[in-house]
Amino acid sequence: MILVTGGAGFIGSNLHAALTADGQEVVVADWLGHDGQKWRNLANHPPAQLIAPEQIEAFLEHDMRVTAIVHLGAISETTATDGDLVWHTNVTLSQKLWHWCAERRVRFIYASSAATYGNGARGFDDDFSLPALKTLKPLNLYGWSKHAFDLWVATQAAEHAKMPPNWAGVKFFNVYGPNEYHKGKMISVVKVKHDEVRQGLAPRLFRSDHPEIADGQQARDFIYIDDVVAALKFLLTAPDLRGIYNLGTGVPRSYADLAAAVCRANGAEPRIEFIDMPANLRGQYQSYTAARMDRLTGLGFNHRFHTLEEGVEAYIRNHLLKADPYL
Protein backbone atom coordinates (compact mmCIF):
# COMPACT_ATOMS: atom_id res chain seq x y z
CA MET A 1 0.00 0.00 0.00
CA ILE A 2 1.30 3.44 -0.97
CA LEU A 3 0.22 6.66 0.75
CA VAL A 4 0.21 9.68 -1.56
CA THR A 5 -0.26 12.99 0.24
CA GLY A 6 -1.65 15.68 -2.03
CA GLY A 7 -2.97 12.78 -4.07
CA ALA A 8 -5.96 14.71 -5.41
CA GLY A 9 -3.71 17.48 -6.69
CA PHE A 10 -2.03 17.82 -10.05
CA ILE A 11 1.06 15.61 -9.76
CA GLY A 12 -0.48 13.45 -7.06
CA SER A 13 -3.58 12.48 -9.04
CA ASN A 14 -1.50 11.61 -12.10
CA LEU A 15 0.78 9.43 -9.98
CA HIS A 16 -2.22 7.84 -8.26
CA ALA A 17 -3.80 6.98 -11.63
CA ALA A 18 -0.58 5.36 -12.85
CA LEU A 19 -0.07 3.34 -9.67
CA THR A 20 -3.69 2.20 -9.70
CA ALA A 21 -3.32 1.10 -13.32
CA ASP A 22 -0.34 -0.99 -12.20
CA GLY A 23 -2.48 -2.74 -9.60
CA GLN A 24 -1.12 -0.87 -6.57
CA GLU A 25 -3.36 -0.07 -3.62
CA VAL A 26 -3.20 3.69 -3.08
CA VAL A 27 -4.42 5.78 -0.16
CA VAL A 28 -4.86 9.45 -1.02
CA ALA A 29 -4.51 12.11 1.66
CA ASP A 30 -5.97 15.42 0.51
CA TRP A 31 -8.83 17.87 0.80
CA LEU A 32 -11.26 17.97 -2.11
CA GLY A 33 -12.55 21.42 -1.17
CA HIS A 34 -15.89 23.05 -1.89
CA ASP A 35 -15.43 24.39 -5.41
CA GLY A 36 -16.70 21.20 -7.00
CA GLN A 37 -13.61 20.78 -9.21
CA LYS A 38 -10.78 18.99 -7.43
CA TRP A 39 -12.69 15.72 -7.01
CA ARG A 40 -12.70 15.41 -10.78
CA ASN A 41 -8.97 14.67 -10.61
CA LEU A 42 -9.93 11.37 -8.98
CA ALA A 43 -13.19 10.75 -10.84
CA ASN A 44 -11.74 8.34 -13.40
CA HIS A 45 -9.54 6.56 -10.85
CA PRO A 46 -11.15 6.42 -7.37
CA PRO A 47 -8.57 5.65 -4.64
CA ALA A 48 -8.78 2.70 -2.25
CA GLN A 49 -9.15 5.22 0.58
CA LEU A 50 -9.38 9.00 0.82
CA ILE A 51 -8.37 10.62 4.10
CA ALA A 52 -8.06 14.25 5.16
CA PRO A 53 -4.51 15.51 5.86
CA GLU A 54 -5.32 15.99 9.54
CA GLN A 55 -6.09 12.25 9.72
CA ILE A 56 -2.68 11.13 8.42
CA GLU A 57 -1.04 10.55 11.80
CA ALA A 58 -4.01 8.55 13.14
CA PHE A 59 -4.14 6.53 9.93
CA LEU A 60 -0.44 5.67 10.12
CA GLU A 61 -0.78 4.61 13.74
CA HIS A 62 -3.35 1.98 12.88
CA ASP A 63 -2.49 0.77 9.37
CA MET A 64 0.69 -1.27 9.14
CA ARG A 65 0.42 -2.02 5.41
CA VAL A 66 2.01 1.17 4.13
CA THR A 67 5.19 0.31 2.19
CA ALA A 68 5.96 3.80 0.85
CA ILE A 69 4.91 7.42 1.35
CA VAL A 70 5.03 9.88 -1.53
CA HIS A 71 4.65 13.25 0.15
CA LEU A 72 3.42 15.76 -2.43
CA GLY A 73 0.99 17.71 -0.25
CA ALA A 74 2.07 21.31 0.29
CA ILE A 75 1.14 24.95 0.01
CA SER A 76 2.70 25.50 -3.40
CA GLU A 77 1.71 29.06 -4.29
CA THR A 78 4.84 31.08 -5.01
CA THR A 79 2.92 34.18 -3.88
CA ALA A 80 1.91 32.70 -0.48
CA THR A 81 2.34 35.13 2.41
CA ASP A 82 1.20 33.26 5.57
CA GLY A 83 4.58 32.14 6.85
CA ASP A 84 3.26 30.23 9.85
CA LEU A 85 0.84 28.19 7.77
CA VAL A 86 3.44 27.52 5.06
CA TRP A 87 5.98 26.36 7.65
CA HIS A 88 3.52 24.07 9.41
CA THR A 89 2.32 22.53 6.15
CA ASN A 90 5.56 22.34 4.18
CA VAL A 91 8.08 21.66 6.93
CA THR A 92 6.53 20.38 10.18
CA LEU A 93 4.31 17.74 8.54
CA SER A 94 7.21 16.65 6.34
CA GLN A 95 9.38 16.14 9.41
CA LYS A 96 6.70 14.03 11.09
CA LEU A 97 6.33 11.79 8.06
CA TRP A 98 10.11 11.49 7.75
CA HIS A 99 10.40 10.33 11.39
CA TRP A 100 7.56 7.83 10.93
CA CYS A 101 9.24 6.32 7.86
CA ALA A 102 12.57 6.16 9.68
CA GLU A 103 11.01 4.33 12.63
CA ARG A 104 8.96 1.92 10.52
CA ARG A 105 11.63 1.39 7.82
CA VAL A 106 9.38 2.67 5.04
CA ARG A 107 10.45 4.33 1.77
CA PHE A 108 9.90 8.11 1.74
CA ILE A 109 9.76 10.34 -1.34
CA TYR A 110 8.97 14.01 -0.92
CA ALA A 111 8.44 17.03 -3.14
CA SER A 112 11.07 19.73 -3.10
CA SER A 113 11.13 22.39 -5.82
CA ALA A 114 13.25 24.20 -8.37
CA ALA A 115 12.10 27.33 -6.49
CA THR A 116 14.84 26.50 -3.98
CA TYR A 117 17.42 27.67 -6.56
CA GLY A 118 16.23 31.27 -6.48
CA ASN A 119 17.41 33.34 -9.42
CA GLY A 120 19.74 30.57 -10.58
CA ALA A 121 22.90 32.59 -9.97
CA ARG A 122 24.39 29.62 -8.11
CA GLY A 123 23.35 27.15 -10.78
CA PHE A 124 20.97 24.20 -10.65
CA ASP A 125 23.18 21.49 -9.18
CA ASP A 126 21.25 19.03 -6.98
CA ASP A 127 24.22 18.43 -4.68
CA PHE A 128 22.50 17.92 -1.31
CA SER A 129 25.53 18.39 0.91
CA LEU A 130 25.02 21.05 3.55
CA PRO A 131 27.71 23.40 2.16
CA ALA A 132 26.13 23.25 -1.31
CA LEU A 133 22.57 23.74 -0.08
CA LYS A 134 23.56 26.69 2.09
CA THR A 135 24.61 28.66 -0.99
CA LEU A 136 21.05 28.70 -2.38
CA LYS A 137 18.84 31.76 -1.93
CA PRO A 138 15.15 31.17 -2.72
CA LEU A 139 13.19 34.19 -3.89
CA ASN A 140 9.88 33.56 -2.11
CA LEU A 141 8.30 32.03 0.97
CA TYR A 142 7.30 28.81 -0.82
CA GLY A 143 10.82 28.21 -2.15
CA TRP A 144 12.31 29.01 1.25
CA SER A 145 10.04 26.49 3.02
CA LYS A 146 11.06 23.74 0.59
CA HIS A 147 14.70 24.73 1.02
CA ALA A 148 14.33 24.64 4.81
CA PHE A 149 13.19 21.02 4.70
CA ASP A 150 15.98 20.09 2.27
CA LEU A 151 18.47 21.60 4.74
CA TRP A 152 16.87 19.68 7.60
CA VAL A 153 17.13 16.41 5.66
CA ALA A 154 20.75 17.10 4.75
CA THR A 155 21.46 17.78 8.43
CA GLN A 156 19.91 14.43 9.36
CA ALA A 157 22.20 12.73 6.86
CA ALA A 158 25.30 14.64 8.00
CA GLU A 159 24.63 13.78 11.64
CA HIS A 160 23.95 10.10 10.83
CA ALA A 161 20.50 10.33 12.37
CA LYS A 162 18.00 7.55 11.92
CA MET A 163 16.82 7.74 8.31
CA PRO A 164 14.20 6.01 6.16
CA PRO A 165 15.88 3.02 4.45
CA ASN A 166 15.27 4.55 1.03
CA TRP A 167 14.45 8.22 0.57
CA ALA A 168 14.49 10.95 -2.06
CA GLY A 169 13.65 14.61 -2.32
CA VAL A 170 12.48 15.63 -5.80
CA LYS A 171 13.11 19.15 -7.09
CA PHE A 172 10.29 19.56 -9.60
CA PHE A 173 10.86 22.09 -12.36
CA ASN A 174 7.98 23.52 -14.47
CA VAL A 175 5.45 20.70 -14.72
CA TYR A 176 2.41 20.91 -16.99
CA GLY A 177 -0.35 18.55 -18.04
CA PRO A 178 -3.88 17.31 -17.27
CA ASN A 179 -5.55 17.59 -13.85
CA GLU A 180 -4.02 20.99 -13.04
CA TYR A 181 -7.28 22.86 -13.65
CA HIS A 182 -8.03 23.50 -9.96
CA LYS A 183 -4.79 25.41 -9.38
CA GLY A 184 -6.09 28.89 -10.16
CA LYS A 185 -3.28 31.40 -10.56
CA MET A 186 -0.69 28.62 -10.16
CA ILE A 187 -1.89 26.78 -13.27
CA SER A 188 0.77 26.16 -15.92
CA VAL A 189 1.59 28.71 -18.60
CA VAL A 190 0.66 26.10 -21.22
CA LYS A 191 -2.95 25.99 -20.03
CA VAL A 192 -3.20 29.78 -19.72
CA LYS A 193 -1.83 30.36 -23.23
CA HIS A 194 -4.10 27.65 -24.63
CA ASP A 195 -7.15 29.43 -23.20
CA GLU A 196 -6.04 32.71 -24.75
CA VAL A 197 -5.55 31.13 -28.17
CA ARG A 198 -8.97 29.43 -28.01
CA GLN A 199 -10.49 32.86 -27.36
CA GLY A 200 -8.86 34.15 -30.55
CA LEU A 201 -6.26 36.18 -28.66
CA ALA A 202 -2.52 36.28 -29.07
CA PRO A 203 -0.70 34.54 -26.19
CA ARG A 204 0.44 37.21 -23.73
CA LEU A 205 3.89 37.00 -22.14
CA PHE A 206 5.56 39.14 -19.50
CA ARG A 207 8.18 41.57 -20.67
CA SER A 208 11.58 40.74 -19.28
CA ASP A 209 12.61 42.49 -16.09
CA HIS A 210 16.29 41.82 -16.84
CA PRO A 211 17.91 44.14 -19.39
CA GLU A 212 20.20 41.37 -20.61
CA ILE A 213 17.25 39.07 -21.46
CA ALA A 214 15.01 39.95 -24.41
CA ASP A 215 11.22 39.86 -24.06
CA GLY A 216 9.98 36.28 -24.48
CA GLN A 217 13.44 34.81 -24.06
CA GLN A 218 13.03 34.08 -20.38
CA ALA A 219 13.59 30.31 -20.29
CA ARG A 220 12.42 27.52 -18.04
CA ASP A 221 12.86 23.77 -17.89
CA PHE A 222 9.31 22.69 -18.81
CA ILE A 223 8.49 19.03 -18.15
CA TYR A 224 5.37 17.09 -19.16
CA ILE A 225 3.52 15.28 -16.37
CA ASP A 226 3.96 11.82 -17.95
CA ASP A 227 7.73 12.20 -17.58
CA VAL A 228 7.32 13.22 -13.94
CA VAL A 229 5.18 10.17 -13.21
CA ALA A 230 7.72 7.89 -14.90
CA ALA A 231 10.44 9.29 -12.64
CA LEU A 232 8.38 8.92 -9.46
CA LYS A 233 7.54 5.32 -10.31
CA PHE A 234 11.24 4.68 -10.85
CA LEU A 235 12.07 6.17 -7.45
CA LEU A 236 9.50 3.93 -5.80
CA THR A 237 11.54 0.88 -6.78
CA ALA A 238 15.12 2.16 -7.07
CA PRO A 239 17.50 0.36 -4.67
CA ASP A 240 19.76 2.21 -2.24
CA LEU A 241 17.89 5.47 -2.76
CA ARG A 242 19.33 8.34 -0.74
CA GLY A 243 19.44 11.86 -2.08
CA ILE A 244 17.78 14.98 -3.44
CA TYR A 245 17.30 14.92 -7.20
CA ASN A 246 16.33 17.42 -9.87
CA LEU A 247 13.38 16.50 -12.05
CA GLY A 248 13.27 18.47 -15.28
CA THR A 249 14.27 17.62 -18.82
CA GLY A 250 17.63 19.32 -18.58
CA VAL A 251 16.72 21.46 -21.60
CA PRO A 252 15.59 25.08 -20.97
CA ARG A 253 13.14 26.50 -23.51
CA SER A 254 11.96 30.07 -23.94
CA TYR A 255 8.46 31.30 -23.25
CA ALA A 256 8.36 32.41 -26.88
CA ASP A 257 8.97 28.76 -27.88
CA LEU A 258 6.18 27.67 -25.56
CA ALA A 259 3.71 30.22 -26.97
CA ALA A 260 4.54 29.11 -30.52
CA ALA A 261 4.04 25.44 -29.58
CA VAL A 262 0.64 26.21 -28.04
CA CYS A 263 -0.44 28.09 -31.17
CA ARG A 264 0.63 25.27 -33.47
CA ALA A 265 -1.07 22.59 -31.37
CA ASN A 266 -4.28 24.62 -31.74
CA GLY A 267 -3.80 25.07 -35.49
CA ALA A 268 -3.19 28.81 -35.07
CA GLU A 269 -0.50 31.05 -36.52
CA PRO A 270 2.16 31.77 -33.85
CA ARG A 271 2.02 35.32 -32.47
CA ILE A 272 2.78 36.98 -29.13
CA GLU A 273 1.65 40.06 -27.21
CA PHE A 274 3.94 41.36 -24.46
CA ILE A 275 2.62 42.84 -21.21
CA ASP A 276 4.30 44.33 -18.15
CA MET A 277 5.17 42.00 -15.29
CA PRO A 278 2.97 42.59 -12.22
CA ALA A 279 4.70 44.44 -9.41
CA ASN A 280 4.25 41.54 -6.96
CA LEU A 281 6.31 39.23 -9.21
CA ARG A 282 9.25 41.53 -9.84
CA GLY A 283 12.31 40.27 -8.04
CA GLN A 284 10.59 36.92 -7.35
CA TYR A 285 10.42 35.63 -10.92
CA GLN A 286 12.87 33.02 -12.19
CA SER A 287 13.95 34.11 -15.66
CA TYR A 288 15.98 30.96 -16.27
CA THR A 289 15.93 27.39 -14.97
CA ALA A 290 17.65 24.26 -16.25
CA ALA A 291 17.82 21.02 -14.29
CA ARG A 292 21.13 19.24 -13.97
CA MET A 293 19.96 15.66 -14.51
CA ASP A 294 23.07 13.50 -14.26
CA ARG A 295 22.44 12.41 -10.66
CA LEU A 296 18.98 11.01 -11.44
CA THR A 297 20.10 9.39 -14.68
CA GLY A 298 23.10 8.02 -12.76
CA LEU A 299 20.65 5.95 -10.72
CA GLY A 300 19.58 4.21 -13.92
CA PHE A 301 16.65 6.40 -14.93
CA ASN A 302 17.09 6.10 -18.69
CA HIS A 303 13.96 7.84 -19.91
CA ARG A 304 13.32 9.80 -23.09
CA PHE A 305 11.61 13.03 -22.08
CA HIS A 306 8.98 14.71 -24.23
CA THR A 307 10.28 17.73 -26.08
CA LEU A 308 8.37 20.92 -25.33
CA GLU A 309 6.52 20.62 -28.65
CA GLU A 310 5.63 16.95 -28.03
CA GLY A 311 4.41 17.57 -24.51
CA VAL A 312 2.36 20.63 -25.42
CA GLU A 313 0.73 18.81 -28.32
CA ALA A 314 -0.04 15.73 -26.19
CA TYR A 315 -1.58 17.90 -23.46
CA ILE A 316 -3.69 20.02 -25.78
CA ARG A 317 -4.84 17.37 -28.26
CA ASN A 318 -5.33 14.50 -25.80
CA HIS A 319 -6.89 16.53 -22.99
CA LEU A 320 -7.62 20.24 -23.43
CA LEU A 321 -9.47 19.78 -26.71
CA LYS A 322 -11.49 16.83 -25.36
CA ALA A 323 -14.92 17.01 -23.72
CA ASP A 324 -13.38 15.42 -20.62
CA PRO A 325 -9.92 16.96 -20.20
CA TYR A 326 -9.07 14.96 -17.09
CA LEU A 327 -6.65 12.08 -17.00
Side-chain angles (χ1 to χ4, degrees):
M1 175 187 288
I2 298 173
L3 172 64
V4 180
T5 73
F10 170 35
I11 296 175
S13 63
N14 276 267
L15 175 63
H16 157 65
L19 293 175
T20 300
D22 289 343
Q24 294 276 5
E25 184 178 5
V26 180
V27 175
V28 166
D30 212 334
W31 292 294
L32 297 185
H34 301 284
D35 62 3
Q37 295 300 315
K38 198 172 180 182
W39 71 271
R40 297 184 185 279
N41 286 350
L42 301 176
N44 296 326
H45 314 276
Q49 295 185 58
L50 175 64
I51 61 174
E54 60 268 25
Q55 298 172 325
I56 291 175
E57 291 181 74
F59 169 79
L60 291 174
E61 283 300 313
H62 295 95
D63 200 314
M64 300 294 105
R65 296 174 296 158
V66 174
T67 58
I69 294 177
V70 184
H71 180 39
L72 303 175
I75 292 176
S76 57
E77 288 83 359
T78 56
T79 55
T81 57
D82 188 336
D84 295 320
L85 180 60
V86 168
W87 181 270
H88 174 76
T89 304
N90 294 2
V91 181
T92 303
L93 177 58
S94 302
Q95 291 171 336
K96 289 180 179 179
L97 293 176
W98 173 278
H99 285 311
W100 187 90
C101 287
E103 288 295 326
R104 302 297 176 91
R105 311 304 294 161
V106 168
R107 183 177 295 250
F108 183 62
I109 298 169
Y110 73 90
S112 182
S113 173
T116 59
Y117 290 116
N119 65 9
R122 293 164 178 82
F124 300 91
D125 186 346
D126 50 2
D127 180 351
F128 75 97
S129 66
L130 276 171
L133 286 175
K134 286 180 179 179
T135 67
L136 303 182
K137 304 294 181 185
L139 297 175
N140 51 55
L141 174 60
Y142 163 69
W144 173 74
S145 70
K146 288 297 185 180
H147 183 53
F149 186 65
D150 287 344
L151 284 168
W152 183 86
V153 167
T155 301
Q156 300 298 296
E159 295 178 350
H160 305 288
K162 193 169 186 177
M163 313 276 283
N166 289 282
W167 64 271
V170 184
K171 293 199 175 194
F172 295 107
F173 279 65
N174 279 69
V175 188
Y176 63 96
N179 288 24
E180 63 169 334
Y181 318 120
H182 64 285
K183 293 182 65 175
K185 60 185 177 182
M186 296 308 299
I187 206 163
S188 78
V189 179
V190 176
K191 174 64 166 64
V192 174
K193 300 308 108 181
H194 166 78
D195 291 345
E196 290 173 352
V197 171
R198 298 304 292 176
Q199 295 170 29
L201 304 173
R204 296 182 298 172
L205 300 178
F206 293 143
R207 292 188 178 90
S208 174
D209 61 348
H210 291 274
E212 68 277 14
I213 301 175
D215 293 343
Q217 295 307 305
Q218 306 99 312
R220 295 280 187 92
D221 193 335
F222 299 102
I223 180 169
Y224 189 47
I225 186 63
D226 287 6
D227 300 322
V228 168
V229 170
L232 291 174
K233 288 176 63 178
F234 170 81
L235 292 174
L236 279 168
T237 59
D240 300 320
L241 182 66
R242 298 176 187 89
I244 298 174
Y245 303 94
N246 285 336
L247 185 48
T249 66
V251 181
R253 297 292 301 275
S254 73
Y255 278 90
D257 288 341
L258 182 147
V262 170
C263 288
R264 292 191 183 98
N266 278 286
E269 188 69 24
R271 56 195 179 112
I272 298 172
E273 176 186 342
F274 291 105
I275 60 175
D276 289 338
M277 184 179 295
N280 67 320
L281 290 181
R282 293 171 194 161
Q284 300 190 51
Y285 190 82
Q286 290 177 307
S287 293
Y288 179 88
T289 63
R292 175 176 169 174
M293 291 298 295
D294 56 302
R295 287 193 171 86
L296 183 57
T297 57
L299 291 178
F301 183 60
N302 299 315
H303 175 80
R304 181 190 175 278
F305 293 98
H306 289 73
T307 66
L308 177 64
E309 288 78 10
E310 290 168 344
V312 167
E313 182 169 7
Y315 182 21
I316 289 175
R317 293 188 179 274
N318 298 337
H319 298 283
L320 297 182
L321 294 179
K322 301 289 186 180
D324 179 3
Y326 291 87
L327 180 70

